[in-house]
Amino acid sequence: STEEMLLEVKNLSKQFGGIKAVDNVNLQIRKGEIISVIGPNGAGKTTVFNLLTGIYKPDHGEIYFRGEAIHHLPPIEIVHKGIARTFQNIRLFHDMRVIENVLVGTHHRTKYTFLDSSLRTKRFRKEEDERVVQAIRLLQLLKLDHRRDEYAANLPYGDQRKVEIARAIATGAKLILLDEPAAGMNPQESLELMGFIRELRDMGYTILMIEHDMSVVMNISDRIYVIDHGKPIADGLPKEIANNKEVIEAYLGGL
Ligand code: ATP
């Protein structure tokens, strides 16, 4: 592929006490790809996300985003660079409305301190308006528009997951990390999720996701990375992974 290399991870390692949670993991992700990371419970998948988003610092290895080293940056600066995520356990503000939760994703973009005070209010309002318009568009795309003014706590689980994805996108990030997006979704919701992830790709986003639902993984991934006990054991096209003996033994056989 001639597409731009968006994320390059080299020899990434992280240890907790005696446990090598992530052990020499390499990733190469190009713009517009949908990539999955799979592996058994405790394989180190979420730790990879925590390293990519600056929550943990790697013991070894490097992370490059658009060719720039980011492994030393704090989480908020990594969001500024263009990487945002969702969490395995949904983290929404339950006493805020759906649209307000999406708008939370945009707040870090406000840089009003750089503006002259007379301009500040005007510019700020305009930016706010644009963000609201963008948030409404995202909710429309997610078919959540009719729930815009409901409290997040009152939404069904699948819809709460979508709000979390919308909030990640609202940050302005171009690489979206999804931690088990299909978890707790019924088959119909999973199908819609897959459609939505493809739409995101068509809009220019790049998706890296952790997912246990193999029908989702095999259906929408361009490539798949498999890790087990922190170690990379395979990577390739979905059909290569589905037929890989070591992957079947370590993971797929048990599903
Ligand atoms: P799952 O599919 O169950 O979510 P996972 O592949 O995401 O699992 P991780 O959550 O990354 O796996 O955990 C990898 C290993 O690192 C596990 O043994 C876990 O107990 C350990 N671990 C993760 N975070 C920490 C931490 N903050 N402190 C100590 N150990 C940790």
Side-chain angles (χ1 to χ4, degrees):
S1 166
T2 54
E3 276 293 352
E4 174 197 355
M5 182 68 71
L6 200 62
L7 184 77
E8 194 156 22
V9 171
K10 294 181 182 170
N11 304 318
L12 196 66
S13 297
K14 180 71 179 178
Q15 194 161 327
F16 297 108
I19 298 168
K20 288 183 171 175
V22 175
D23 193 0
N24 257 306
V25 165
N26 293 287
L27 304 171
Q28 292 196 325
I29 300 172
R30 291 174 189 280
K31 184 174 177 296
E33 284 190 304
I34 299 172
I35 304 291
S36 292
V37 179
I38 66 171
N41 290 330
K45 305 178 298 291
T46 298
T47 304
V48 169
F49 272 22
N50 286 332
L51 291 164
L52 294 178
T53 52
I55 292 175
Y56 298 142
K57 295 289 159 249
D59 298 332
H60 302 286
E62 290 125 48
I63 304 167
Y64 296 93
F65 184 65
R66 294 188 160 127
E68 188 183 349
I70 59 162
H71 40 267
H72 57 284
L73 297 179
I76 187 64
E77 285 184 35
I78 292 176
V79 174
H80 282 141
K81 296 286 178 199
I83 303 178
R85 74 179 293 181
T86 66
F87 293 89
Q88 201 171 327
N89 308 308
I90 300 173
R91 300 187 187 178
L92 291 178
F93 297 100
H94 280 174
D95 56 351
M96 286 167 65
R97 294 169 201 281
V98 165
I99 187 140
E100 291 170 327
N101 268 282
V102 177
L103 286 167
V104 165
T106 70
H107 283 326
H108 72 98
R109 280 152 53 191
T110 306
K111 291 200 176 106
Y112 66 88
T113 47
F114 293 119
L115 298 173
D116 172 79
S117 64
S118 62
L119 282 174
R120 196 175 290 161
T121 314
K122 218 165 142 192
R123 172 81 73 92
F124 185 69
R125 283 222 183 95
K126 186 165 173 287
E127 285 186 5
E128 287 277 274
D129 292 348
E130 279 165 11
R131 285 168 206 188
V132 171
V133 168
Q134 188 207 18
I136 290 170
R137 265 198 221 117
L138 276 171
L139 290 174
Q140 283 167 342
L141 189 70
L142 283 158
K143 300 191 173 68
L144 272 182
D145 197 33
H146 60 294
R147 298 214 183 256
R148 191 195 298 181
D149 296 323
E150 288 184 42
Y151 287 101
N154 296 340
L155 261 59
Y157 189 79
D159 285 349
Q160 291 193 17
R161 283 223 162 270
K162 290 195 208 165
V163 176
E164 224 196 3
I165 297 172
R167 183 175 62 190
I169 294 165
T171 64
K174 292 295 178 234
L175 174 62
I176 312 294
L177 312 184
L178 304 177
D179 199 342
E180 297 194 29
M185 286 191 174
N186 64 39
Q188 180 57 35
E189 288 173 328
S190 293
L191 262 180
E192 284 174 17
L193 175 79
M194 287 193 266
F196 171 60
I197 290 175
R198 289 197 186 95
E199 276 181 75
L200 287 181
R201 184 252 300 280
D202 295 344
M203 290 164 69
Y205 292 95
T206 305
I207 307 290
L208 177 62
M209 67 173 189
I210 296 169
E211 185 51 62
H212 283 290
D213 183 332
M214 280 309 116
S215 64
V216 172
V217 168
M218 293 298 168
N219 258 300
I220 65 169
S221 306
D222 294 310
R223 286 184 300 116
I224 300 169
Y225 287 89
V226 190
I227 58 177
D228 183 26
H229 291 96
K231 288 192 176 63
I233 60 169
D235 65 82
L237 303 172
K239 63 169 185 265
E240 294 169 342
I241 297 303
N243 295 313
N244 181 303
K245 202 163 159 265
E246 206 181 341
V247 175
I248 293 167
E249 274 166 23
Y251 184 51
L252 295 179
L255 287 181

